[in-house]
Amino acid sequence: MNDTDAVPVPVREYRALVADAGAWRLLNSSPHVAELLAEWIEWDRRATARATSNAISGAADWRAIAGGPTYAELARRRTVHTTEPLTPDQIRARATASWARVENWIATRTAA
């Protein structure tokens, strides 16, 4: 079969095919449809990227090879003291000294 071969089609079906082709041409020339198709293409691109990323991430047990500490390690670290605990008076003295540094910094900036 080549391009010059005729195919017999009933007139009713021919008219329906011509009407469908005209509707598709009109639909494809619509700026609204072009915008919807562009949005769908972007959505599909992102969905594919998300699926690819999930597949890559799922290929390894990241908890076993991650560089960060586990929750159990963080809990263990919280129970270990590196310095002696401070008394309430020492805590108040540190807070007072800290506020004095802040107020001094503010005073030097506003005095000029």
Side-chain angles (χ1 to χ4, degrees):
M1 183 180 241
N2 59 35
D3 291 340
T4 59
D5 289 342
V7 178
V9 177
V11 173
R12 178 178 281 169
E13 188 174 343
Y14 171 77
R15 288 182 182 151
L17 288 171
V18 169
D20 287 346
W24 275 109
R25 285 188 193 101
L26 183 62
L27 187 64
N28 286 335
S29 66
S30 167
H32 179 67
V33 171
E35 183 180 340
L36 289 173
L37 287 174
E39 288 178 4
W40 181 84
I41 289 168
E42 178 62 18
W43 173 87
D44 185 57
R45 185 192 66 78
R46 288 182 182 194
T48 302
R50 184 174 53 248
T52 303
S53 175
N54 287 341
I56 291 169
S57 295
D61 183 8
W62 292 102
R63 292 172 296 172
I65 61 176
T70 63
Y71 288 117
E73 173 63 16
L74 293 174
R76 186 195 66 75
R77 290 179 188 178
R78 282 193 296 273
T79 62
V80 176
H81 297 287
T82 56
T83 60
E84 290 296 318
L86 300 175
T87 65
D89 289 334
Q90 290 171 324
I91 294 171
R92 283 188 205 96
R94 281 191 178 186
T96 302
S98 176
W99 276 114
R101 285 193 305 272
V102 170
E103 290 172 356
N104 183 35
W105 183 85
I106 292 171
T108 59
R109 299 300 182 272
T110 58

